[in-house]
Structures are given as C-alpha cells and as structure tokens.
Amino acid sequence: MSTGSDSLLRMQRQAVDPQTAPERLRELAQLPQIAPLVATNPAATAPLLRTLADGTDATIRAAVAAHPNAPLDLLLRLAGEFPAAFCANPVLPLLLLEQPDLPARMGADTLRRLLCYAGVPQSILRWIVAHAAPSEAEAARLHIGLAGAAGADWPARARAALWRVAPPGYSDLLLELLGLGGVPAWLLEMLAALGDVEVRTAVARSPHTPRALLRPLRRAGASGDLRGYGVPTQPCDPQVLAWLAAGGVYARRVAARNPATPAPVLAQLAADVDRSVRQGVARNSAAPPALLARLATDRTADVRQLVARHAAAPHVLERLARDPSRDVRFTVARNPRTPPAALERLASDPERAVRQALVRNPATQPALLVRLAADAHPKVRAAVARRSGATFAQGAQPAPGAHTPVPAASRIPAPAQPTKEQRAADPAAPLDDLRALAEDEDPKVRGAVGRHPRTPPDLLAWLADDESPIVHRGVAEHPDVPPALLERFAADPTWANYKVRLAVARHPQVTSHALALMAGDLAVAVRRLVLANPLTPAAARRQILARSLDMCLTSSEPFYHAVALAHPQAPVAALLQAWQSPEWLVRLAAAQNPRAPHELLVLLSEDGNQLVRAAALAALSQPQPAAVSVDETVIPDASIRYGVGSDQRVLYEQLAAFATDPALKAAGAATQRAPDRHERS
C-alpha cells in the first residue's frame, strides 16, 4: 500500500515538474487522476494541451484555458466555456497588445458567454462596444467593467435597456402568452413598441396590460389599439418623444410622425435603419427643410416619394424631378409646388404616367399643355383634352393596331351547368339530392353536404364516419351539428385533423368539454381559439399556460426563455440552470422571479451584467420564500439546457491542491466561486 502511494506521489511530482521530459508528460496525461496536473505544468507543449482540451473533463479543459502555452485558436475556443480561466491567463495582456481586435476572432455565442464574467478586461469590452453586433455591443455596455454597479435606479436602467432588446422571431406563442397573462409586466412596454401589429394589438387589448404603460404611446399619436397612427389630441412632452425615439420600431415610427418631436431627435430618426421610421419623418409636417433635403437622397424610393409630397420641400423638387424612380417623378409631376423648370423637364419624361400626371397638375402652364396635346401617347392627349374641355374630331380614326370592340351580345357566354359541389351548397337543394351527393367520390362534395344547413342529423352522423378530414370539417361547420360530434372531432389530435379542430373551436355550439379536450393541442391557432372562448374551463387554461411555458423553455429564442423563467410557475430546476445562460435578459428574468432559489441569487449577484447583479442583490435583500421541495428540483424533460459546460466552482476546488505555479494560482483565484450546491448538500 505504501509503495502504491509513493508511486502516485512520484507521478504527481513529475506531472507538475517543469523539468519532466515531454515524452513522460504525454504518458502521464493518459492517466485520468494525473492529467489535471499535467495541464498545469508550465512546460506542457501546445500539442499536448490541444490533446488534453479534446477531452470531456472540465477541470483539465479549464486548466488549458489558463495555460500560457495554449494555442491561440484553442484559447478562443475555450474562452466562452471558461471565461474566468481565460481572463486569468497571463499571456492574455500580451495577446491584446499584439492584436487589439482579438475579440473579432470569437463567435457571437463566445462573446455573450464571456460577458457573463465580471472580470473581463476593459480593452475587450471597449472593442465589443465599438465593433461587435448590436446585441453583443449592448451587453458589453451593460457590463460591470464599463457601466459600473447599478444602484437603486437599476429598474429605470433596465427599462431603458429592455427598450433595445431584439424581439422574438415568431409571434404565435407570444400571442398565446399575452392572452394568458403569462408575459411579465416589465416586458410589456417593449412588446407594445414592436413592429408586429398583431403583438401590439394583443398587448393593447390584454386585460393584464397596465393602462399607464400604453399612455405615452397613445398621447404621442398611436391609435387606441396600437395598430396605426392618429393625430395627437394633446401636445406630448418632448422628453417622452425622445424616449419613444429610442424604443422599438413602432415607438420610433410614432415619434417620427409627431410634430412636437425635437429637431435633433427627428434627425436621429431620419437615419433609422427601418424604412417605416424614415417614412414617418418624411410625413412629419414639422420636418425641417434641411432634413427633407437629406431624405430626398434616401436609398428607398418610398421615402423620397413622401418628400416629394411634403409642403416644405419645394427646394428639393428640382432634384427629385431627375429621380430614377418613376413613382417619385410621378409625385413631383402632381405637386403644385413644383418649380416651372422641373415641370418643363418632366414634360419630356420617358414614362407616360409621369407626363399624364403633369397634365393633371393645376400649376402646369398652358404653353406646356399645348405641347402635351401633341404627345405621342393617346392617353396623354386624352388627358389634355379632358382638362381643356375639348373633344376629339367626329371623324377621327382609331389608332393603328387598336382593338375593335366586339358587340356585347356576342360576348355573353352560355350559362354553365352547376358542379356537384355547387349543387351540394345550394340552399334550396332537395334532401334526396343531398343524400345522393353524400355518396359522391369527391370529398369536397361530401364536405359541402356536411355543412349544408338542411342536412339531417342521421346523415351528419354517417358523414362523421367518413375517412376524409375534408368531410369532417364540413360536418364540424354545420350550424346544428350535435355536440357529441364536436367532442369526437376535438379528441382527434392528428395534424390531418387540424382544420377540423379549428372549425370545432370556432363553432358557436362548442361545449366546454370539447374546449378542454383541445387545451393541449399542438397547434397554437387552435389553443388561441380555445383561450378566446369564455366557456373554456379554468383547468384547461392552466393546462395551456403550462404547455406554453414548456414550449418557451424548449424554444430557440432567448426571449421566450426569459418569459418562462420570469413566470412564478417556472420549474425550479430550470431556474437553477438559468445562471449559465449567455443571455443577460434570461438571467435578469430569473433574478426577478419571486421563486428564485437563494443559491441562484447568490450566483447572479456576482454576474458581469450590472442589471442582473442589481436585480439579484435586490432580491437577496427581500425575505426569502419557503424552501423548495425535492420534487421541484428534479429537472423536467423540457427543462432549459444551455450547454455552457461545467461549474467552475467545482473546478477551483479540484485544482486548489495542485496550485504549484503562478499561472495556475491566477487561474484558481479567478475561478473561485461559492461551493457548488451539490457539494453543500
């Protein structure tokens, strides 16, 4: 026994000894209990470190991330998985001096994971703010290393940051959650400013939306349901307009159209990436002439066309008369404020519609009309004739190649015989015909019989046994279909029966039992109809909410992860994993959940994001909820999984005994965290 212990101790010493031969280090790296020590040896070569990093042991991989001899591509690969070890690597300052754009070689996911760590060097943060994509740049601006710690005003800072969060890519699930009241109130303001009109309308109509949240938009000119824009009934505070100008697409659009929006804010909106926002500025009656001149060179023809209609833009009409877009030149030709020189130019425009619009312009001079009366196109000449009140000569011959009208009597087609489907849909169809058509080989014909209001119950029951979903849908749309048949169709969850269940959910005689059967439907459209029906039982609504939250957790959209983790019914197991998310919005949602476990809040109180850290600290200062039962900590099948890697707190405990060189000590100090929850238990 003593001999074995001596042998193990000798191998451990060899593993950390810088004088150990490379061949011996490679041999020792094959031993699982010695490999972590080999990864800390200052003499470990780059090929050996690369081999060690290919394994699955997180302790070894983190030690490689902290090793100064690790190849650059390997360090960049491990940076997101082990940000503390990467930032503690003694060679990192030298790398940043040689390559200030080092973060450019990292992927977006690596950058987001790196920003979770509080000890990221400021040079990296500044580069991300200046050069990375908007989402990563925003996360870097909120990093504790640049923004500092947030104080008691953190909710206001969070509100401003949420204003710039990218919306989810699909809205069906979001519309369902809004109907259920499953979206936290602190996310609703951002959703009310989205470009998606369905989402905005759902937010405006939801009884769960605080009315005060919608007041700024409505005072600035948003319609009551947030679908469009209306003239504001009262002046709006310029500060509110500046706030809206920093929000979502719709909020920026409303601010762009409001006449009270300050000129500097309008100038900012005139350079917006969204075309509809720039169009709003071009529509604004208070837009300065200099700003209209800038928009007259916009890359989008729709924006230039709106400038051509503006009352304050006669100084740019001369330029727009040469615009490559026909629609822009057409608008200039119709504008009574267009200078005579521009009208003269448009009289020779190659597009007939532009010359015809010029005839309709009340500012067009008679001499120009005389010139257009001899235009090569007959429609232009006809427009001049209508304006002057003249008529063509009685003996005028039709233009060469003109179509000779055909007598009306010869163009009347013979009446067509009704098809079987039309006969089955005829309200006056005899019952015998309906019974005969119910046996037709075409399912569309049988379906038309099923929805016919005169089809008797016995024939409906017979058609309900048909093999075609088209026929089932017809039966489900019958005005007096028996409730038992509706419940039978509602119990069929197949995708082939999807439209049948839609018809059942829309039916005025649908029963609460049928609605409960469809509460767990895989189709979002069916569940939304179930939610909208007042007969839907409360238990069914809870079932829909549970399923919606489950779908949020398995979604590829971080926004939906945040919605699920902010809800009081979020699984505790998912909350416990939320600190590993690379998305600060997800971590912020978990920190604000009233059921967030204490150990999660402790971890998030050290987060690299100032808002996440402040929210966690605020939650820790409040009375803690009751302890979570063991059953609630079991990870459900649909639990959130981010695949971040191993817990670096365990890594520090395993490496502490082997801290024999300065590089490893630095890595250990950087990765030191609170004890893992499994270790504490």
Side-chain angles (χ1 to χ4, degrees):
M1 186 69 180
S2 175
T3 303
S5 300
D6 292 344
S7 176
L8 179 60
L9 182 59
R10 185 171 58 254
M11 287 189 293
Q12 290 176 344
R13 289 174 178 171
Q14 291 176 346
V16 299
D17 187 356
Q19 303 301 322
T20 303
E23 295 79 7
R24 179 58 177 165
L25 284 178
R26 282 195 294 271
E27 293 175 1
L28 294 172
Q30 303 299 320
L31 304 175
Q33 68 273 30
I34 304 298
L37 292 174
V38 176
T40 68
N41 193 312
T45 61
L48 178 58
L49 292 172
R50 194 181 295 278
T51 301
L52 291 170
D54 288 338
T56 58
D57 191 306
T59 303
I60 298 174
R61 291 166 57 80
V64 173
H67 202 291
N69 292 344
L72 179 57
D73 65 311
L74 185 58
L75 286 178
L76 297 179
R77 195 178 78 196
L78 297 173
E81 189 175 357
F82 304 102
F86 170 77
C87 292
N89 194 313
V91 80
L92 180 59
L94 297 176
L95 291 175
L96 292 173
L97 285 175
E98 295 176 356
Q99 305 180 45
D101 61 342
L102 185 66
R105 302 179 61 176
M106 301 180 187
D109 186 67
T110 298
L111 289 178
R112 288 195 295 270
R113 295 181 188 278
L114 186 63
L115 291 171
C116 299
Y117 176 58
V120 179
Q122 282 197 357
S123 57
I124 292 181
L125 296 175
R126 293 193 187 96
W127 188 95
I128 296 175
V129 169
H131 302 289
S135 58
E136 288 77 46
E138 178 66 16
R141 276 189 288 267
L142 296 173
H143 195 274
I144 198 80
L146 287 182
D153 65 337
W154 73 265
R157 294 191 183 191
R159 183 186 176 211
L162 290 170
W163 212 227
R164 298 184 290 272
V165 170
Y170 56 96
S171 60
D172 282 347
L173 181 56
L174 182 56
L175 293 171
E176 181 174 283
L177 289 164
L178 289 169
L180 286 162
V183 180
W186 53 273
L187 283 175
L188 290 176
E189 184 179 45
M190 182 265 285
L191 296 178
L194 289 183
D196 191 320
V197 64
E198 278 192 292
V199 174
R200 296 198 312 268
T201 305
V203 173
R205 294 176 178 175
S206 173
H208 308 283
T209 302
R211 298 300 99 183
L213 185 146
L214 304 176
R215 197 171 296 124
L217 277 166
R218 288 174 174 168
R219 285 183 176 175
S223 59
D225 57 1
L226 302 187
R227 295 186 68 88
Y229 181 87
V231 178
T233 57
Q234 56 184 332
C236 192
D237 188 344
Q239 291 185 349
V240 174
L241 292 169
W243 166 256
L244 295 176
V249 172
Y250 183 67
R252 303 198 305 272
R253 195 184 307 162
V254 170
R257 295 192 63 174
N258 194 296
T261 301
V265 177
L266 282 180
Q268 168 194 333
L269 295 170
D272 199 276
V273 295
D274 191 274
R275 178 189 66 177
S276 65
V277 177
R278 303 196 304 275
Q279 287 177 328
V281 178
R283 283 191 175 101
N284 194 319
S285 59
L291 200 55
L292 293 173
R294 193 169 94 189
L295 290 173
T297 61
D298 194 272
R299 61 183 177 275
T300 304
D302 293 346
V303 177
R304 303 195 301 272
Q305 187 175 12
L306 289 170
V307 173
R309 295 177 184 172
H310 203 284
H315 61 295
V316 298
L317 293 178
E318 180 71 36
R319 178 195 306 169
L320 292 175
R322 299 179 175 85
D323 196 273
S325 170
R326 182 195 69 172
D327 294 337
V328 175
R329 301 196 307 275
F330 177 91
T331 305
V332 174
R334 289 294 304 270
N335 194 329
R337 302 177 185 86
T338 302
L343 295 178
E344 185 76 21
R345 177 183 180 84
L346 292 171
S348 302
D349 196 276
E351 291 288 342
R352 182 267 310 168
V354 175
R355 304 194 303 275
Q356 194 171 350
L358 188 62
V359 175
R360 297 172 182 168
N361 191 330
T364 303
Q365 297 297 321
L368 202 55
L369 290 175
V370 172
R371 174 179 164 187
L372 292 170
D375 194 273
H377 202 286
K379 288 189 175 181
V380 178
R381 300 196 302 271
V384 175
R386 284 193 297 270
R387 176 169 174 174
S388 61
T391 57
F392 287 110
Q394 294 288 335
Q397 298 297 321
H403 177 68
T404 303
V406 180
S410 63
R411 287 182 279 133
I412 299 177
Q417 294 297 324
T419 63
K420 291 182 180 180
E421 189 174 353
Q422 291 172 335
R423 287 167 51 198
D426 185 0
L431 181 58
D432 291 342
D433 285 359
L434 292 177
R435 292 188 180 277
L437 292 170
E439 300 182 5
D440 193 88
E441 62 180 9
D442 188 348
K444 292 183 179 180
V445 176
R446 304 197 301 274
V449 174
R451 68 174 58 88
H452 198 286
R454 297 181 60 189
T455 301
D458 64 312
L459 187 54
L460 286 176
W462 186 76
L463 289 170
D465 292 330
D466 198 283
E467 71 279 0
S468 173
I470 298 176
V471 181
H472 296 171
R473 181 182 177 185
V475 175
E477 291 174 349
H478 191 280
D480 295 318
V481 60
L485 291 182
L486 292 177
E487 294 174 358
R488 174 178 164 186
F489 293 145
D492 183 357
T494 61
W495 280 110
N497 196 51
Y498 161 67
K499 292 185 178 180
V500 181
R501 297 195 303 278
L502 282 176
V504 172
R506 293 190 182 106
H507 203 285
Q509 297 184 19
V510 63
T511 63
S512 59
H513 179 60
L515 293 168
L517 289 172
M518 296 183 292
D521 204 284
L522 293 175
V524 177
V526 175
R527 297 199 305 272
R528 285 173 58 189
L529 289 172
V530 173
L531 279 176
N533 198 307
L535 297 177
T536 302
R541 294 181 184 275
R542 290 193 295 270
Q543 180 184 355
I544 295 176
L545 176 60
R547 185 174 187 87
S548 298
L549 294 177
D550 186 73
M551 293 179 67
C552 286
L553 290 175
T554 55
S555 169
S556 60
E557 294 274 1
F559 180 88
Y560 286 120
H561 298 170
V563 171
L565 293 177
H567 199 278
Q569 294 185 19
V572 175
L575 287 170
L576 288 171
Q577 295 185 28
W579 73 275
Q580 303 177 76
S581 170
E583 305 292 339
W584 66 267
L585 178 62
V586 176
R587 306 195 304 277
L588 179 64
Q592 297 187 82
N593 192 305
R595 297 180 66 216
H598 179 78
E599 53 197 303
L600 171 67
L601 296 176
V602 171
L603 288 171
L604 295 179
S605 67
E606 302 174 1
D607 198 271
N609 185 281
Q610 66 162 188
L611 302 178
V612 176
R613 177 178 289 208
L617 290 172
L620 286 172
S621 66
Q622 301 297 321
Q624 295 298 308
V628 179
S629 66
V630 176
D631 292 340
E632 288 183 295
T633 61
V634 177
I635 299 177
D637 290 340
S639 176
I640 192 167
R641 285 176 171 82
Y642 293 101
V644 174
S646 298
D647 192 334
Q648 295 186 36
R649 297 164 293 160
V650 178
L651 161 68
Y652 171 71
E653 293 178 351
Q654 294 182 8
L655 291 180
F658 308 131
T660 58
D661 68 292
L664 182 57
K665 287 181 180 178
T671 57
Q672 185 172 9
R673 305 289 293 272
D676 185 74
R677 64 185 179 91
H678 298 297
E679 295 293 331
R680 289 201 302 267
S681 62

